[in-house]
């Protein structure tokens, strides 16, 4: 479904009060945890409206830059960014979530903070260049899925000014026109965009969604099968119909002894969990 999330902006200054590290982004987390009765549940952890950035540092030639944020009831997230002579690159991401937060983790069997460490998959970025990614991308490790979008980051900022030169993520790279009308990509990016119809052509109604075949495996055995066509009806200023395109949608999830979770990600900030 659609979840409330907040943007985070971190602007770190050096000793001369000049910007040395800038980041602005949105993110949310899907976390699978064990409940008291032995079932496995998947919950959504969103950033709260109040976020601190204690522990964020500029970095230098020998020390990694760090973007660190703390939010909610004892949750935190950080990324270490290292520098070479010509580039900078995310090294590893650390997520700590607190299952004592009963609003997010009701009846969690394990209580207290849980830390997950994962490698940042992003490629190196040239120094004096800002990394930008408007479309969503996903980083997965163990029982967590991290979704990022509307990302703007520059580490080791030179002369205190964020660069106007951009390096775009693969998700933002234009592709050749698809053979199926790109209903999702047109209307469900991180910030909703409405395309204007051609002047001489009346808007066409949204057709029935294509049927997708989604499956999960536990070891070598298939544990979840779903054959379904999906259409979302979102009530905002006016009703918005969105077809989920099985050709661009990735299935993930988990199978437990008594419960199973299917997660569908269309790569354009639309996430659906069953």
């Amino acid at each position: 479904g659609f979840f409330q999330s907040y943007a985070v902006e971190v602007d770190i200054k050096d000793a001369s009060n000049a910007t040395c590290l800038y980041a602005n982004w949105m993110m949310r987390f899907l976390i699978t945890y064990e409940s008291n009765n032995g079932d496995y549940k998947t919950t959504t952890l969103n950033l709260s409206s109040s976020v601190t950035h204690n522990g964020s540092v500029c970095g230098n030639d020998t020390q990694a830059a760090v973007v660190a944020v703390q939010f909610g009831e004892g949750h935190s997230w950080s990324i270490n960014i290292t520098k070479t002579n010509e580039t900078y690159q995310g090294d590893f991401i650390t997520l700590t979530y607190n299952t004592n937060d009963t609003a997010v983790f009701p009846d969690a069997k394990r209580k207290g903070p849980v830390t997950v460490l994962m490698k940042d998959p992003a490629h190196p970025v040239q120094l004096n260049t800002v990394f930008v990614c408007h479309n969503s991308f996903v980083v997965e490790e163990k029982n967590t899925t991290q979704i990022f979008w509307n990302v703007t980051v520059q580490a080791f900022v030179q002369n205190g000014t964020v660069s106007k030169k951009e390096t775009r993520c693969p998700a933002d790279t234009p592709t050749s026109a698809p053979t199926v009308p790109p209903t999702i990509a047109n209307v469900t990016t991180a910030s909703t965009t409405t395309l204007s119809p051609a002047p001489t052509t009346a808007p066409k109604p949204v057709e029935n969604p294509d049927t997708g075949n989604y499956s999960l495996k536990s070891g070598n055995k298939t544990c979840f099968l779903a054959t379904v066509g999906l259409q979302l009806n979102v009530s905002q200023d006016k009703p918005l119909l969105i077809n989920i395109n099985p050709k661009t949608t990735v299935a993930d999830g988990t199978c437990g002894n008594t419960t199973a979770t299917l997660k569908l990600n269309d790569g354009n900030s639309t996430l659906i969990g069953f």
Side-chain angles (χ1 to χ4, degrees):
F2 293 82
F3 306 99
Q4 179 66 45
S5 190
Y6 295 89
V8 186
E9 184 176 40
V10 176
D11 188 350
I12 306 301
K13 309 288 187 180
D14 61 18
S16 63
N17 201 35
T19 296
C20 60
L21 174 62
Y22 179 81
N24 190 314
W25 76 102
M26 298 184 75
M27 64 180 174
R28 70 168 61 98
F29 311 95
L30 302 180
I31 301 171
T32 301
Y33 67 98
E34 186 177 6
S35 65
N36 286 320
N37 62 8
D39 292 342
Y40 284 86
K41 299 180 178 180
T42 298
T43 188
T44 301
L45 175 61
N46 290 308
L47 291 175
S48 59
S49 57
S50 177
V51 177
T52 58
H53 52 80
N54 299 323
S56 296
V57 296
C58 294
N60 52 43
D61 291 342
T62 59
Q63 179 186 9
V66 179
V67 178
V69 295
Q70 303 81 39
F71 59 97
E73 300 296 325
H75 313 296
S76 63
W77 179 93
S78 66
I79 181 171
N80 283 39
I81 305 173
T82 55
K83 175 186 177 183
T84 66
N85 292 330
E86 299 180 352
T87 64
Y88 64 92
Q89 181 177 16
D91 188 5
F92 58 88
I93 298 170
T94 304
L95 168 67
T96 298
Y97 58 90
N98 184 11
T99 57
N100 285 323
D101 185 350
T102 55
V104 181
F105 302 96
D107 71 348
K109 183 176 181 179
R110 176 181 176 179
K111 298 294 185 181
V114 179
T115 298
V116 180
L117 188 69
M118 60 205 74
K119 185 71 175 176
D120 181 12
H123 297 296
V125 179
Q126 290 292 318
L127 290 175
N128 201 30
T129 302
V130 61
F131 173 79
V132 176
C133 193
H134 293 309
N135 286 292
S136 65
F137 62 95
V138 174
V139 179
E140 294 181 294
E141 181 69 24
K142 295 183 179 178
N143 294 324
T144 64
T145 300
Q146 303 188 35
I147 305 101
F148 304 89
W149 70 102
N150 281 1
V151 176
T152 301
V153 177
Q154 185 178 352
F156 308 101
V157 177
Q158 300 176 14
N159 301 320
T161 303
V162 176
S163 176
K164 295 182 179 180
K165 183 180 179 181
E166 295 182 352
T167 292
R168 287 299 188 100
C169 64
D172 284 1
T173 303
T175 58
S176 58
T179 55
V180 178
T183 54
I184 301 170
N186 286 348
V187 298
T188 315
T189 56
S191 58
T192 303
T193 302
T194 303
L195 293 184
S196 299
T200 58
T201 305
K204 294 183 179 180
V206 177
E207 299 177 353
N208 290 333
D210 292 336
T211 300
N213 295 299
Y214 308 104
S215 64
L216 301 177
K217 287 187 178 293
S218 178
N220 294 325
K221 296 182 179 180
T222 298
C223 61
F224 195 118
L225 284 173
T227 300
V228 59
L230 293 171
Q231 183 181 89
L232 306 183
N233 188 334
V234 184
S235 296
Q236 296 178 328
D237 297 332
K238 59 182 180 179
L240 176 66
L241 294 180
I242 304 169
N243 283 345
I244 301 302
N245 184 355
K247 295 181 179 179
T248 59
T249 299
V250 177
D252 193 10
T254 56
C255 294
N257 293 329
T258 58
T259 62
T261 300
L262 175 66
K263 297 180 292 184
L264 301 180
N265 181 357
D266 78 335
N268 290 283
S269 299
T270 301
L271 301 166
I272 305 175
F274 297 93

